[in-house]
Amino acid sequence: MSAKPCHGYPSRSEAVIAMRRQGLSTEQIADRIGIDRNTVTALEHSALRSVKRRKRPAEEHGRTVLFPVDILDRLRPAAARRGIAVNALARRIVETVIDDNLIDSVLDDLDEIEAVWGKEDAA
């Protein structure tokens, strides 16, 4: 279904939103466009549903990484002490390890712990 230009707007939905912003009532909008009031309401709700929130920088410039819930739960106290979200703390940890070139050190330490305690106890 293609958009129907209306009153100088690319679609009826955009015309409805613009007229609503001008303070017109549902009945006034319906009369101007030549549609019934229920259609005005439906177009308005449809247009408002289609509006998406702006992406956060991490969403816009990144990819999703999934962490097991138990890992996030274990990060929760440290995040709370810092007053930040758990996901923000996880990003900071990863960024710090990469920025400070600590990848090998962290993994080597993990290998040593696993050798001494076993893989299950290292987690």
Side-chain angles (χ1 to χ4, degrees):
M1 188 181 210
S2 62
K4 297 178 183 178
C6 180
H7 288 271
Y9 295 94
S11 69
R12 294 188 309 172
S13 295
E14 290 184 54
V16 167
I17 296 299
M19 290 180 193
R20 180 69 77 203
R21 287 186 181 137
Q22 294 168 9
L24 288 134
S25 69
T26 300
E27 190 169 320
Q28 290 170 319
I29 295 169
D31 288 344
R32 285 197 183 180
I33 295 177
I35 57 178
D36 67 44
R37 293 184 330 197
N38 290 336
T39 304
V40 171
T41 303
L43 289 169
E44 187 173 24
H45 287 288
S46 175
L48 294 175
R49 267 195 315 269
S50 70
V51 174
K52 294 182 180 177
R53 70 169 169 78
R54 199 171 134 213
K55 287 186 176 182
R56 296 176 184 102
E59 293 170 328
E60 194 168 312
H61 304 292
R63 294 205 169 90
T64 301
V65 177
L66 299 176
F67 285 93
V69 173
D70 65 312
I71 297 292
L72 297 175
D73 287 343
R74 289 165 43 199
L75 287 174
R76 197 167 309 285
R81 284 193 302 274
R82 288 161 181 79
I84 61 174
V86 175
N87 289 347
L89 178 60
R91 276 193 298 275
R92 278 191 194 179
I93 291 168
V94 172
E95 287 171 3
T96 301
V97 167
I98 292 168
D99 290 347
D100 293 350
N101 199 24
L102 298 171
I103 296 169
D104 289 330
S105 297
V106 169
L107 294 177
D108 291 346
D109 286 350
L110 182 60
D111 288 343
E112 286 180 32
I113 292 169
E114 286 177 353
V116 172
W117 295 98
K119 190 170 186 159
E120 292 301 315
D121 291 331

